Amino acid sequence: MTIEQHIEELRAELNNACDAAERRQIEVDLELAQAELAVELAEQFGTIDAEPPF
């Protein structure tokens, strides 16, 4: 599964979540997945270097 697919699944789960605690957890997971995608894209385009500084 790609990160994009994972994000779409989380969005669908968020739309169907009824419980507040479950909704908050899905929101956190979605935010983390979106951040991961942003890092991957930045690495691809050379915007950032993911290598440790040491």
Side-chain angles (χ1 to χ4, degrees), residues 41-49:
L41 291 174
E43 288 174 354
Q44 275 183 348
F45 294 111
T47 308
I48 63 169
D49 185 12

Side-chain angles (χ1 to χ4, degrees), residues 21-53:
E22 179 184 12
R23 187 169 181 77
R24 281 191 302 272
Q25 183 60 50
I26 295 169
E27 287 170 343
V28 168
D29 292 343
L30 179 57
E31 189 173 330
L32 288 172
Q34 289 171 329
E36 183 180 332
L37 177 60
V39 169
E40 287 180 13
L41 291 174
E43 288 174 354
Q44 275 183 348
F45 294 111
T47 308
I48 63 169
D49 185 12
E51 294 295 319

Side-chain angles (χ1 to χ4, degrees), residues 1-10 33 36-37 40:
M1 172 184 304
T2 67
I3 189 70
E4 292 91 349
Q5 290 171 327
H6 185 62
I7 289 171
E8 288 304 313
E9 285 191 9
L10 287 169
E36 183 180 332
L37 177 60
E40 287 180 13

Side-chain angles (χ1 to χ4, degrees), residues 9-24:
E9 285 191 9
L10 287 169
R11 286 181 179 151
E13 285 181 31
L14 188 58
N15 286 334
N16 295 322
C18 297
D19 181 50
E22 179 184 12
R23 187 169 181 77
R24 281 191 302 272

